[in-house]
Amino acid sequence: MNKLYSIALMGLLVSTSFVFAQATDDNEIKITQSGDTLELYIDQVGFGNKIGGDDFSSGSTSMDITGSSLMFDLDFIGNQNILFGPVEADSSNYTLSYSGDSNEIDWNIGYSGSADDSDINFSVTGDSNTFDLDQGYAASAERLDADLVLIGDNNIFDVDWESDDNVWNLDITGGSNDINTLQNDGAQNLEFTLVGDGGDVDINQISGTCATGAGTGCSTPNANIVLDVTSDNATITITQKDSNGDS
């Protein structure tokens, strides 16, 4: 099949390496990167595109990206695409666009390092996609602005935002989607729109306490939800708590 790799890198890179795997029928990109002010543009077109830390020939190793002031613009057109790996970065922007079916994302921002001031935008059109998205964990994660627009059926999304001052806009159009979303720590806001039948949605907000010494802190721990649903046979479960810990 045709292979397309479109990458533009600009800025200060301390250490960056890209290895393009030799595959017979897939587009594959291996990334290991450390440094600040990286602008990364990737377009992958075709079947079975992969971005990670190895060539996926025997399992998969996650890509490793660290830095600050990063800007990612990733476009995937096709089916059965994979994005796998951790990112540790402050003051960074991520735009990911998917058009196709049966895509998989396992992406963690700030699992073991700081991930403050993130802006994340997902646009997904297709069916039977599986996304596992995480921001923050044991390390600092403050001031997240996240947007997801999904058009399609039978998708599975597990999204954990463990970040103070979290603004989460979720817009779903399609049937039989399975959505599980967690917002953990201080000052959580969710605007959720669902248009489509047979959805299974779990919303967890745990307001916790405000972080200190992290720049602009939240004023009061609170959890707010604006829900707009047009659906038959949907099941929506909402849990709000005033203490830390998964629900």
Side-chain angles (χ1 to χ4, degrees):
M1 66 176 290
N2 294 326
K3 294 188 176 183
L4 170 64
Y5 300 100
S6 175
I7 301 177
L9 302 179
M10 293 174 284
L12 173 62
L13 303 184
V14 176
S15 173
T16 306
S17 64
F18 291 83
V19 178
F20 298 88
Q22 300 300 314
T24 58
D25 58 355
D26 293 335
N27 305 315
E28 300 178 353
I29 299 176
K30 173 184 175 181
I31 303 176
T32 301
Q33 192 279 142
S34 63
D36 301 333
T37 322
L38 166 67
E39 295 185 15
L40 174 61
Y41 302 88
I42 297 178
D43 295 335
Q44 284 191 320
V45 180
F47 179 88
N49 302 313
K50 302 177 180 70
I51 298 178
D54 65 3
D55 62 5
F56 293 86
S57 60
S58 58
S60 54
T61 301
S62 62
M63 65 183 180
D64 189 5
I65 296 175
T66 60
S68 65
S69 301
L70 307 181
M71 196 283 285
F72 285 9
D73 190 330
L74 311 181
D75 293 320
F76 302 85
I77 300 174
N79 301 328
Q80 297 185 0
N81 302 305
I82 297 175
L83 175 63
F84 181 45
V87 178
E88 296 175 15
D90 293 329
S91 304
S92 296
N93 295 276
Y94 311 93
T95 301
L96 290 87
S97 177
Y98 280 80
S99 180
D101 302 328
S102 302
N103 299 299
E104 296 182 29
I105 288 183
D106 188 348
W107 211 32
N108 196 311
I109 301 174
Y111 183 86
S112 58
S114 178
D116 295 338
D117 299 299
S118 296
D119 191 325
I120 303 174
N121 294 278
F122 279 93
S123 176
V124 181
T125 302
D127 303 327
S128 303
N129 298 293
T130 302
F131 280 30
D132 186 354
L133 306 174
D134 299 271
Q135 166 129 356
Y137 185 68
S140 171
E142 321 294 338
R143 296 172 299 281
L144 168 65
D145 187 346
D147 298 89
L148 168 62
V149 177
L150 168 64
I151 301 174
D153 303 324
N154 299 302
N155 297 286
I156 299 174
F157 277 70
D158 188 348
V159 182
D160 292 348
W161 301 137
E162 301 197 47
S163 173
D164 289 340
D165 297 310
N166 184 325
V167 178
W168 177 211
N169 296 301
L170 184 56
D171 192 332
I172 308 296
T173 302
S176 302
N177 291 299
D178 187 345
I179 309 295
N180 190 324
T181 176
L182 166 68
Q183 293 173 286
N184 193 6
D185 290 328
Q188 308 296 337
N189 292 280
L190 170 65
E191 292 194 13
F192 177 46
T193 301
L194 173 65
V195 179
D197 298 335
D200 186 354
V201 179
D202 293 278
I203 298 172
N204 300 285
Q205 283 187 329
I206 303 169
S207 56
T209 58
C210 290
T212 59
T216 304
C218 59
S219 57
T220 303
N222 55 64
N224 299 293
I225 297 173
V226 177
L227 195 64
D228 185 353
V229 178
T230 304
S231 176
D232 293 325
N233 301 314
T235 300
I236 300 176
T237 303
I238 298 175
T239 302
Q240 290 181 313
K241 290 185 177 182
D242 290 331
S243 60
N244 286 322
D246 207 334
S247 57

